[in-house]
Amino acid sequence: MKKFLFGIVLAMTLVFTSACGNNAEDDAFTIGVIPAQTKGSMEDAMNKLQEELSEGLERTVKVEIYPDYNGVVEAMNYDKIDMAYFGPLTYVVANHESGAKAIITQLVDGEPYYYSYMITHIDQPWDSLDEMIKDSGQIEFAFGDINSTSGSLIPGIELENRGVFQSEEEHEFKSVRYTGSHDATAIAVQNQGVDVGAIDSAIFDELVADGDIDGEQIKVIWKSDKLFQYPWAVHSETPKETIEQLQEIFLNIEDEDILGAFGASGFTTATDNDYEAIKQAAVKQGIIKE
């Protein structure tokens, strides 16, 4: 069974430091993993990724764990890491604050895109966002992590544009909550703990494929425009040669355990321009101050 990186907005970091003297540990290339999924173990996949990177970079690779989105951004800001696996929103924040550069993203079914969904239980009467909004005063709505692109930022803007949401405290719904992860949102909708939830489309599809939720019990009532997949971004001072090495390594990864950890069919190159729409959305919401 493939393992996916779920919820808070799923995010992963790669960390390496400059060599000092002859100490090999000072030249380590460290992978930092946010354990955002709530099931299974990523250990085998991460060990294999570590081996791929060690061989390709010809340097020691280690694994470190970061507890949340903001921890990765702060680590990049304070020069504690040189490469990170960000969510699109956390990437544009890191790009703005420390000049992080996107160089790689994953492919899902051969495409570097995903969507934000709003989902509801099949027993609910709404088949579209317009129908749901008419009953907004009766609806308990769930976002995922507040720093998630598809679980918070993009659906939040859509609901704001529709005039029913401003913030967790100011809205037209019966209630608004943040579940903290995409899979928690899906489970809450399936169990009818909430009426409607916002979720990453790729994670939703993976949850259904893995049998973690019953797809026949849930319907999608809204789908966003295309969103570019989660980027791997390097520190602003990373040498061009290192960037090219990293891109070559990722583009040649075929191991199913590694790909499955990301729900990916492969990897492709990415640039900062791919995230311009997310950047503008973050500016609009005041997350990035220009």
Side-chain angles (χ1 to χ4, degrees):
M1 181 184 293
K2 291 196 305 180
K3 302 298 183 184
F4 206 108
L5 291 178
F6 298 126
I8 65 177
V9 176
L10 196 50
M12 171 179 281
T13 61
L14 291 174
V15 185
F16 63 92
T17 57
S18 300
C20 296
N22 296 317
N23 187 345
E25 290 299 311
D26 291 334
D27 195 37
F29 188 94
T30 306
I31 305 176
V33 181
I34 293 178
Q37 68 178 42
T38 58
K39 67 174 181 112
S41 171
M42 299 280 298
E43 184 175 356
D44 289 344
M46 294 303 98
N47 285 341
K48 288 185 175 183
L49 180 61
Q50 177 174 291
E51 291 172 6
E52 295 260 9
L53 290 166
S54 293
E55 182 178 348
L57 293 176
E58 298 183 340
R59 64 197 306 176
T60 302
V61 173
K62 299 187 299 181
V63 175
E64 293 182 353
I65 296 175
Y66 284 83
D68 53 39
Y69 284 98
N70 287 335
V72 179
V73 175
E74 289 303 303
M76 181 69 80
N77 290 348
Y78 287 97
D79 298 331
K80 295 183 181 297
I81 63 176
D82 292 286
M83 185 174 183
Y85 179 67
F86 289 114
L89 176 57
T90 46
Y91 163 67
V92 299
V93 171
N95 171 263
H96 177 73
E97 294 182 353
S98 64
K101 299 176 183 178
I103 64 166
I104 284 288
T105 192
Q106 67 236 34
L107 297 168
V108 177
D109 296 327
E111 296 288 341
Y113 305 109
Y114 73 116
Y115 304 88
S116 173
Y117 283 168
M118 292 188 208
I119 58 174
T120 190
H121 194 275
I122 196 71
D123 290 342
Q124 298 290 1
W126 319 293
D127 293 316
S128 69
L129 183 57
D130 287 336
E131 291 177 2
M132 183 271 281
I133 286 175
K134 290 178 182 178
D135 292 337
S136 60
Q138 306 170 33
I139 291 170
E140 294 181 290
F141 193 95
F143 294 102
D145 188 280
I146 197 167
N147 293 306
S148 170
T149 307
S150 57
S152 179
L153 175 65
I154 298 302
I157 289 175
E158 180 68 22
L159 294 173
E160 180 180 344
N161 290 340
R162 301 290 188 113
V164 293
F165 176 78
Q166 292 291 326
S167 67
E168 188 174 4
E169 294 76 28
E170 186 179 351
H171 54 80
E172 301 298 322
F173 295 109
K174 180 179 179 180
S175 67
V176 169
R177 73 181 72 171
Y178 289 85
T179 67
S181 69
H182 296 288
D183 49 335
T185 299
I187 292 168
V189 170
Q190 177 173 278
N191 295 340
Q192 300 190 63
V194 297
D195 299 308
V196 180
I199 191 170
D200 176 313
S201 65
I203 294 178
F204 174 78
D205 291 342
E206 192 75 10
L207 287 166
V208 172
D210 285 353
D212 295 310
I213 58 172
D214 182 355
E216 294 185 357
Q217 295 300 307
I218 295 177
K219 56 185 173 180
V220 177
I221 61 172
W222 177 79
K223 177 180 177 180
S224 72
D225 293 334
K226 287 180 178 180
L227 304 172
F228 215 75
Q229 277 284 358
Y230 294 34
W232 296 78
V234 294
H235 190 277
S236 60
E237 298 178 0
T238 303
K240 181 180 179 181
E241 179 182 357
T242 301
I243 291 173
E244 291 173 350
Q245 286 180 309
L246 289 165
Q247 289 176 323
E248 182 177 2
I249 295 167
F250 276 94
L251 292 177
N252 286 294
I253 288 176
E254 296 180 347
D255 187 280
E256 290 298 326
D257 288 336
I258 296 174
L259 295 175
F262 302 95
S265 57
F267 293 95
T268 189
T269 56
T271 70
D272 183 57
N273 289 338
D274 295 320
Y275 300 93
E276 184 61 29
I278 300 300
K279 185 178 299 183
Q280 293 308 313
V283 170
K284 180 180 185 296
Q285 297 303 104
I287 297 170
I288 291 177
K289 309 291 186 182
E290 288 193 330

